[in-house]
């Protein structure tokens, strides 16, 4: 068989980490090759080597049987390789179409003017194909994470590449967008484009993959036929052990009400939302992208201006006008976008972990760094954060491990109300189970958890009740027993509406 | 292996680059001019550098938060003039000085207020207050220096403690203190966090406006401290004092490795930056080169220092 790509004996070390040792990967035309592995296994690093972001320390890359040297991203592009990065890479102050055609703008006439008409037409066409309600003239900064992800995908689809690398493209997407993406992937396959596909959502392996390669601790484990291999086998290859239960939900005693939200409004974003939350409860929030879930959480947390309505914490009405007030009153918010609103990228791991709890280690303003580091060290162990050390700059951690760092910041803050916006985004199977167990521990201690998630199986399995949002409205709240995928989808798409009582509980 | 050594050298250079530049300058000047490496001359350099160094410390804090303070020179001047006027109107020296420090802090508070509450970008906010403070200084003095200041004031500019001149002592103590603040306190940690990612810092439940305000107040306070040292040395307060100090202090910070985009910087770097400029100044004077050339040299050093930084970062990113 003619290989479009083969990577052989690839080695790469970073200070303190052997990210890849003797890894291989090959690709035939028109296949979707899934790359699996735990957080920090080296998937993104391998792909960045192919895309010209890092040079390999050793190893060879063949394209169509020819040995090539890829020194920078420009080389990769001219070899027909394009990559959708795990961390979004768009320029916020440019429009969608400007981002899509950046560095390869269409030129017409002499001395050369940008042909915006044609660029807009092409971008619009692909956006329409993908069923996306995004205007090519919109600014990136005004788009949600999921929409930005889709723009990244459009950018690489429109680049006529022969090899497209997708690093966790579905992490930020909900069911519907994923369906659209998969349609596009199938079209690309028909055009013999080869796709390398990275994901932590295992059902996707069978759904979209042809072959699958597993990495573990920077080493090559095996390549399998995606349709024939068993999921349990893949998990064993990835984490080195079996996982019995994926969603270890435990029932807990529900206590008194800790949070009540009444008639919350924000113009054009949130429409008259009321609900309540009890001690020991996990309240899931489902909905499509842009349905207002993140905005609702930010509103409760005091992160945005212009919010009307009432919020009661443990029965007392509070005016939460800043995150500071929210935190002081026992509310924690894990934000969905780790890069822009979560991490301090140039801070060390331990400094990122302690950021929200620093007053504990510095009652009089002077930080007790020994205690700070000790605690951070414990959390790194507890959450199995893979890092060369506490002093490592968080920017150099793998995506999933960065997510765990923010989790560590909030999960141990001893808040009464813990809001988790997409907590398991980009997290590997093993670590997901650990996070669920943590949520169990929290609810057992009588804490209340709100979990926003686009992962339907996760939200179905881990929530006591599920609130579904649609276009800024709370369209219904389902109990654990009545909830199912169809019902949630109907509520999320506005096909069905439930009559909620004023208090939002049924 | 070879690569490793090279990398280490690079790290060393980038970490202590400005220090090596300073060292090289000291060695070269010592060879060229026999007068340069004498206790008297080195002390002179320290005294001359003190004023800019003290303000540059405040400037560094502001720049680390992602801001910039163009008003430092004007604030120095206005605080000095207020101090001078109070003294000449008969207020006791100590009280005048304390009030001048409070006044300087208040001026800083105005900057902080405009930046955090009125949401005007720091560059514009402090450009505005720079003009207003300078104008005020000229109006209240009618453009004339405030002189006949009390004898005792000279101690701050020319006095000694155990044989050491006072201005360098003030700046070293200030530098040590704020280094400690940056490294060991919550305020310091927040200053870096705000400069790196203000949104994320805010969402961690931190009152970013409060800490930004504190930083501008510190910058104003240190301008007043520098103002006192300056009038102590000169014996009078000129309404044109401190012109161009905003650029000198920014240069000192930048030479010392502080990033204008925020989140990165050290006081020790800034002090070395200020000393490099002081030594250049002194060296040129000793060699009898026109002060016009000094400006060219300082400009070149700024560009080179930042270029070295860019080189280093480019390497890391690749
Ligand atoms: N720029 C870097 N500097 C230093 N270390 C790095 C850098 N990039 C990655 N690493 C390290 O290399 C290892 C592999 O990281 P990589 O990002 O490839 O993991 P991954 O398989 O993509 O994980 P995830 O599923 O979490 O995204 C990790 O231990 C990570 O800390
Ligand atoms: Mg990755």
């Amino acid at each position: 068989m003619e290989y479009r790509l083969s990577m052989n004996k690839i080695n790469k070390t970073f200070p303190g980490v052997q990210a890849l040792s003797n890894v291989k990967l090959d690709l035939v035309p028109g296949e979707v090759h899934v790359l699996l592995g735990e957080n920090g296994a080296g998937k993104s690093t391998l792909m960045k080597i192919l895309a010209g972001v890092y040079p390999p320390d050793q190893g060879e890359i063949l394209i169509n049987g020819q040995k090539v040297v890829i020194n920078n991203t420009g080389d990769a592009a001219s070899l027909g390789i394009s990559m959708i990065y795990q961390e979004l890479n768009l320029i916020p102050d440019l429009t969608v179409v400007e981002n899509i055609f950046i560095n390869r703008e269409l030129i017409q006439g002499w001395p050369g003017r940008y042909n915006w008409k044609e660029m807009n037409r092409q971008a619009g066409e692909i956006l329409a194909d993908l069923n996306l309600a995004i205007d090519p003239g919109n600014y990136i900064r005004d788009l949600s994470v999921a929409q930005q992800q889709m723009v990244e995908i459009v950018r690489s689809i429109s680049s006529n590449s022969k090899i497209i690398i997708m690093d966790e493209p579905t992490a930020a997407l909900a069911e519907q967008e994923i369906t659209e993406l998969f349609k596009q992937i199938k079209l690309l396959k028909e055009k013999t484009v080869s796709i390398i596909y990275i994901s932590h959502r295992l059902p996707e392996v069978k759904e979209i993959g042809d072959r699958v390669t597993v990495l573990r601790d920077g080493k090559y484990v095996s390549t399998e036929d995606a349709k024939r291999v068993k999921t349990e086998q893949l998990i064993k290859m990835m984490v080195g052990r079996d996982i019995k239960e994926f969603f270890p939900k435990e029932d807990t005693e529900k206590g008194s009400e800790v949070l009540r939200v009444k008639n919350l409004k924000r113009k054009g974003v949130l429409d008259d939302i009321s609900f309540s939350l009890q001690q020991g409860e996990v309240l899931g929030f489902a909905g499509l992208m842009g349905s207002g879930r993140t905005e609702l959480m930010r509103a409760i947390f005091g992160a945005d201006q212009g919010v009307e309505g009432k919020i009661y914490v443990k029965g007392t009405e509070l005016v939460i006008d800043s995150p500071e007030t929210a935190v002081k009153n026992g509310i924690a918010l894990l934000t969905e976008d780790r890069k822009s609103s979560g991490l301090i990228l140039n801070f060390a791991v331990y400094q990122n972990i302690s950021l929200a709890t620093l007053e504990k280690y510095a009652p009089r303003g002077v930080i007790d760094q020994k205690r700070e580091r000790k605690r951070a060290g414990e959390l790194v162990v507890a959450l199995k954060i893979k890092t060369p050390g506490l002093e490592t700059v968080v920017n150099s951690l793998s995506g999933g491990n960065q997510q765990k760092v923010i989790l560590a910041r909030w999960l141990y803050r001893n808040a009464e109300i813990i809001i988790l916006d997409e907590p398991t985004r980009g997290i590997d199977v093993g670590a997901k189970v650990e996070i669920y167990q943590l949520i169990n521990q929290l609810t057992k201690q009588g804490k209340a958890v709100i979990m926003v998630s686009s992962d339907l199986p996760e939200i179905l399995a881990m929530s006591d009740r599920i609130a579904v949002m649609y276009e800024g409205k709370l369209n219904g709240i389902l109990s654990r027993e009545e909830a199912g995928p169809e019902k949630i989808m109907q509520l999320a798409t506005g096909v069905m509406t439930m009559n909620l009582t004023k208090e939002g509980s049924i | 292996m070879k690569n490793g050594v090279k990398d280490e050298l690079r790290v060393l250079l980038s970490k202590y680059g400005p220090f090596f530049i300073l060292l090289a300058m000291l060695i070269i000047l010592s060879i060229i001019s026999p007068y340069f490496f004498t206790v008297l001359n080195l002390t002179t350099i320290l005294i001359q550098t003190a004023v800019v160094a003290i303000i540059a410390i405040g400037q560094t804090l502001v720049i680390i938060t992602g801001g910039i303070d163009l008003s430092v020179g004007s604030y120095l001047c206005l605080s000095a003039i207020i101090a001078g006027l109070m003294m000449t109107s008969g207020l006791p020296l100590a009280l005048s000085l304390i009030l001048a420090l409070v006044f300087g802090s208040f001026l800083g508070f105005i900057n902080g207020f405009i930046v955090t509450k009125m949401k005007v970008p720091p560059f514009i906010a402090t450009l505005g207050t720079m003009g207003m403070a300078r104008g005020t200084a000229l109006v209240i003095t009618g453009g004339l220096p405030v002189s006949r200041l009390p004898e005792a004031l000279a101690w701050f500019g020319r006095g000694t403690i155990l044989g050491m001149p006072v201005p360098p002592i003030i700046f070293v103590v200030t530098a040590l203190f704020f280094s400690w603040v940056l490294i060991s306190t919550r305020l310091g940690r927040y200053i870096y966090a705000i400069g790196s990612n203000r949104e994320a810092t805010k969402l961690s439940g931190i009152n970013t406006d409060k800490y930004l305000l504190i930083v501008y107040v510190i910058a104003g306070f240190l301008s007043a401290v520098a103002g006192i040292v300056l009038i102590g040395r000169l014996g009078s307060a000129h309404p044109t004092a401190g012109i161009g100090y905003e650029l000198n202090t920014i240069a000192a910070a930048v030479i010392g490795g502080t990033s204008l985009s925020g989140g990165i910087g050290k006081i020790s770097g800034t002090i070395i930056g200020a000393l490099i400029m002081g030594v250049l100044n002194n060296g040129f004077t000793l060699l009898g080169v026109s002060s016009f050339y000094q400006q060219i040299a300082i400009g070149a050093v700024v560009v080179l220092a930042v270029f070295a930084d860019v080189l280093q970062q480019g390497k890391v990113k690749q």
Side-chain angles (χ1 to χ4, degrees), chain A residues 14 17 19 39-45 54 86 168 200 396-400:
Chain A
F14 292 112
V17 217
N39 295 132
K43 306 177 295 291
S44 298
T45 305
Y54 304 131
Q86 186 172 9
E168 297 191 34
H200 288 293
S396 72
L397 260 52
S398 81

Side-chain angles (χ1 to χ4, degrees), chain A residues 265-278:
Chain A
K265 286 186 199 121
R266 198 179 140 213
K267 226 176 154 211
V269 186
L270 298 174
D271 187 2
D272 202 13
I273 291 174
S274 306
F275 69 91
S276 70
L277 180 70
Q278 285 175 306

